[in-house]
Amino acid sequence: MNKTAVVPSTSMPPNAKKPMGQRIKDFVIDYKRQWEIQSMILPGIIFMIIFCYIPIYGLTIAFKNYTVIDTLSSAPWVGLDNFKIILSDEYFWDAVVNTLGISFLKLGIGFIIPIILAIMIYELNMGRFKKFVQTISYLPHFLSWIVLGGMLITWFSTSGLFNELLLNLGLISKPSNILLDSGKYWWIATLSDIWKEAGWGTILYLAIMSKIDPTYYEAAKIDGASRLRQIWNITLPNMKSIISLNLILTVSGLLGSNLDQTLVLMNSQNRARAEVINSYVYRMGMTQGDFSYATAVGLGVSIVSVILLVTANKITSKLNDNQSVL
Amino acid sequence: MIKMNKVLGKKGVKLALLLMTAMLVVAGCSSNGGSKKGSDVSIEDRYTVDPETPAWQLDKKSESTELTWYVNADWWNTDFGKDVVTKKIKEDLNIDIKFITGDDTKLNTFFAGGDMPDLLTIFDSNSPVVQKAATWALPLNDLAEKYDPYFNKVAAADTLNWFQLKDGKTYGYPNYSNTQADYDSGNIPAKTAFVIRKDVYEALGSPSFGTPEEFKSVMNQIKTQFPDMIPFGFNSIGEGTGSLGDVLQDFIGVPLETEDGKFYNRNLDEDYLTWLRTLNAVYRDGAISDDSFADDGTGFEEKVKSGKYATMLLDGTPQQGGNLQIFMSANPGKEYIAIDGPQSTVGHQPTLNQSGITGWMISYITKDCKDPAKAIQIFTYLLSEEGQKLMNYGIEGETYKANSDGTVELLPEVKDLQLNNADKFKKDYRMGEFMFFGHDRHKALSKDAFPESIKQMQEWGQGKLKPHFILENINPDQGTAEARGLTAINTTWNTTMVSMIRAKDDAAFDSTLADYKAFLDKNSWDKIVEIRSEKMKANKEKLGIK
């Protein structure tokens, strides 16, 4: 087949809108020309349909009163009842407040620390020491929350590491179990999460930094720029796109995080400040068998997360000269 | 060109249609739930039923029957036919069972997918799965009548009655279902005890713990004399508040119902609250460790194993038997012993609870069962005297011997293996573990059924048990507003109880209690009490209790 023959005439400027019919025609022609390549995406599309789109049908139970015995189609419709219950459920709103509180603390502190850490590691000169620092900071990431949670429970107990430390420093006179103090829970959750993930978070930043052209730094040095000045004017601007991407991903996950950590560290005394949306959904759905209600909460959270994602994308694209990362 | 487009257009439409069909098929699969008609098998050329003989002895079916059995527990051992117990079952019944295990998610998949196993065992008798069993399981009454009338001889009538659904039929049969007769026989061992380390008890001069004042002063004494120990411990706080909730209430004998037979909120009982105030005072004196409220099950068990607690209110002594045994073996003369402990301030007697008539695991034969005749034979076999002995003690002459007084005793080499090589014992014999229809009355046949460490505790509990039948399965149905309210109330009670024990002063104690009462009013407590009272009434009618 003569491929050049099917290329449409270009009397119009390329960006001008063509009539609908013409566009469909062009699409079909293009598609036919590249059908071998295009067909490679088919398995992916089919996979998506089967595993991502068909299950969406299951969301209908958010509008039904579903029990295990019912089928998706036989359960009775209840309209928006489940959503109405959500609005008047104070436990749910407590969970929302906790989720946002913990997530924003994590975002506020936990987002910046990996950037600073990455820059510090990058600025280290000694090869061996650099590797050592990197490895040490990654390590906690590979431990699951079950293991870390067990460690934390021991450390926070009355005879644990922290109480011993505070007693010896004379900061407290009587040991108390820190995990039972609901007022401290948000900080425990935030700081332990940073401890676990900060090192891992540096990987992307270090990768992008290794791509920065060294001649920038050489030029800057000749111009007499200080170390800090170099970081501010060369390193950080080069990291902008990856920071934006990371921010978008973090923001869109604001409402959906903290499950493992909560399940391990929550107890009867700190529940009021520890319960997050995900653990609440888990409790309602898996342990109480209230699937419809749990699905309704999950659906609501997903919708809000999409809104957050789009908003974060808009904001970061403004920061990146109107270039969207997504 | 245009022709080309048309062809492609048609193809596009076809492709779209194909995808839509695929979607419908897949979606359809997920919604044709368990409404299949039960398969009927003919037993004409196999045997004629005889009410006096178990059908498994009559069945002449020559080829082995393969059945799948789903157990809703990840920890269930899926081996079949390799150890003494299941090998015997396999031979006697000429069956081959393929066990599948899983969690609630997998259970739901079975129901949603409509492709049910032949037999099914679950745990939660309050779940909709049990309440709507008529839609997916075969009635045991009909199966017994049709294939194996002997079943009615080995099944407990009270238990069958208890699990009867509205249509008058019973679909599932539980294990560890204890009837009034079982309680009366004294064969059910107590599982709750207030225990103290023997060395501590003797050093203190065997004091009494009965009244709040005594309790407080002895705890202080322990604290000064044994500074390394935690004076008072209890089961880890979780759903149901460890052993300081209803277990303590049973221990001091808080009434189960109001005088006119309605639901009684035992959490607000004055006698019980007096003891909570006592615990609060003990906590403020530093004799209860904060960690006890944060410890998970493992944390608690570690402390039991190492004898960290001087005294404990212990629920589930058989479950802690191994840990207590480890401490006992390593520290002779210091073992934990049960004593009378806290007592009612108004003169009530203990009403200790044990597994009730609802039992523990419930087994069903599903409508998809390939051979319901064989399936009911398994039920009959395992429920019979023979099956019970097999599951608990193995084969007579091979693993145990029967004494003249009716008790049984493991043979020395088997006993030795049980004590010294638990893993091999489990793998080769699997006695006391294949417990689909296990019952306490058969456990009581032998001294070898429980570890040494808890025998004194079980003896202490004799005569202190009182069935809690009327309080079983009385929660509002899942998915209702009341069920949601109750969940919230239970969660709050959990926090409230711990906060009361940890209260800084009396004022804090009282305000926490007041908050809980206010919370009850806000969460339709009236309606929950009403539902529970009604269900209690139904329970009494079922069991013939006045």
Side-chain angles (χ1 to χ4, degrees), chain B residues 416-433:
Chain B
D416 184 58
L417 206 61
Q418 182 194 26
L419 286 176
N420 300 319
N421 196 345
D423 288 335
K424 190 173 161 55
F425 175 77
K426 227 172 155 170
K427 195 161 171 282
D428 291 354
Y429 294 96
R430 207 181 176 184
M431 277 145 27
E433 199 203 321

Side-chain angles (χ1 to χ4, degrees), chain A residues 25 28 32 54 67-71 73 85 90-91 157-158 177 180 268-269 271 283 286 288 290-291, chain B residues 4-5 8 23 33 105 108 128-129 135-136 290-291 478 484 487-488 491-492 495 498-499 502 519 522:
Chain A
K25 220 185 237 173
V28 171
K32 208 167 161 318
I54 291 176
T67 60
V68 189
I69 294 303
D70 299 308
T71 60
S73 49
I85 299 169
E90 42 182 299
Y91 278 91
S157 70
T158 48
N177 193 308
L180 289 179
S268 67
Q269 288 297 280
R271 171 171 283 127
R283 238 162 28 91
M286 293 314 286
Q288 305 297 329
D290 205 340
F291 299 103
Chain B
M4 218 38 151
N5 274 346
L8 258 178
M23 274 174 76
T105 323
N108 296 346
V129 171
T135 57
W136 59 271
D290 246 353
D291 297 340
Q478 262 180 23
R484 262 182 221 111
T487 308
T491 312
T492 306
T495 313
V498 177
S499 301
R502 296 182 72 231
F519 191 84
K522 251 176 38 192

Side-chain angles (χ1 to χ4, degrees), chain A residues 1 6 25 28-29 31-32 42 45-46 49-50 53-54 57 65-74 82 85 89-91 150 153 156-160 163 174-181 267-272 275 283-284 286-293, chain B residues 1-2 4-5 8 15 19 22-24 26-27 30-34 103-105 107-108 111-112 128-130 132-133 135-136 237 239 283-284 289-296 478-480 483-484 487-489 491-492 494-499 502 519 522-523:
Chain A
M1 201 197 275
V6 291
K25 220 185 237 173
V28 171
I29 293 163
Y31 189 87
K32 208 167 161 318
L42 261 182
I45 291 179
I46 293 171
I49 288 173
I50 293 178
Y53 287 93
I54 291 176
Y57 175 64
N65 188 4
Y66 173 84
T67 60
V68 189
I69 294 303
D70 299 308
T71 60
L72 287 184
S73 49
S74 76
N82 288 316
I85 299 169
D89 180 351
E90 42 182 299
Y91 278 91
I153 289 172
F156 287 131
S157 70
T158 48
S159 56
N163 270 305
K174 207 178 127 219
S176 68
N177 193 308
I178 301 166
L179 267 181
L180 289 179
D181 188 346
N267 59 42
S268 67
Q269 288 297 280
N270 66 21
R271 171 171 283 127
E275 184 97 273
R283 238 162 28 91
M284 293 306 284
M286 293 314 286
T287 60
Q288 305 297 329
D290 205 340
F291 299 103
S292 292
Y293 186 74
Chain B
M1 205 65 237
I2 291 163
M4 218 38 151
N5 274 346
L8 258 178
L15 186 72
L19 280 175
M23 274 174 76
L24 282 175
V26 180
S30 63
S31 54
N32 65 351
D103 52 13
D104 284 344
T105 323
L107 182 72
N108 296 346
F111 283 103
V129 171
V130 171
K132 295 190 185 171
T135 57
W136 59 271
I237 299 282
E239 296 295 318
Y283 171 81
R284 278 189 261 157
S289 162
D290 246 353
D291 297 340
S292 299
F293 301 105
D295 274 344
D296 53 1
Q478 262 180 23
T480 59
R484 262 182 221 111
T487 308
I489 287 169
T491 312
T492 306
N494 229 354
T495 313
T496 303
M497 196 207 71
V498 177
S499 301
R502 296 182 72 231
F519 191 84
K522 251 176 38 192
N523 285 273

Side-chain angles (χ1 to χ4, degrees), chain B residues 465-515:
Chain B
L465 287 171
K466 187 180 176 196
H468 287 38
F469 298 150
I470 48 168
L471 295 182
E472 288 179 38
N473 294 344
I474 56 166
N475 286 342
D477 294 340
Q478 262 180 23
T480 59
E482 287 78 23
R484 262 182 221 111
L486 182 64
T487 308
I489 287 169
N490 287 342
T491 312
T492 306
W493 169 245
N494 229 354
T495 313
T496 303
M497 196 207 71
V498 177
S499 301
M500 289 199 298
I501 297 175
R502 296 182 72 231
K504 277 192 205 72
D505 45 45
D506 291 348
F509 186 99
D510 292 332
S511 78
T512 313
L513 184 62
D515 286 350

Side-chain angles (χ1 to χ4, degrees), chain B residues 84 392-403 407-420 425 429 431 446-448:
Chain B
V84 169
N392 278 309
Y393 310 108
I395 301 164
E396 187 170 359
E398 205 173 300
T399 57
Y400 75 91
K401 68 169 187 203
N403 297 328
T407 59
V408 299
E409 204 175 305
L410 293 183
L411 294 180
E413 66 267 26
V414 182
K415 178 83 190 160
D416 184 58
L417 206 61
Q418 182 194 26
L419 286 176
N420 300 319
F425 175 77
Y429 294 96
M431 277 145 27
S446 172
K447 287 198 196 75
D448 300 327

Side-chain angles (χ1 to χ4, degrees), chain B residues 270-282:
Chain B
E270 276 308 321
D271 192 13
Y272 174 62
L273 289 177
T274 307
W275 272 106
L276 282 190
R277 279 177 213 281
T278 310
L279 290 178
N280 175 226
V282 171

Side-chain angles (χ1 to χ4, degrees), chain B residues 315-329:
Chain B
D315 184 42
T317 44
Q319 284 88 328
Q320 295 301 329
N323 300 319
L324 292 167
Q325 186 68 47
I326 290 171
F327 177 71
M328 185 179 174
S329 307

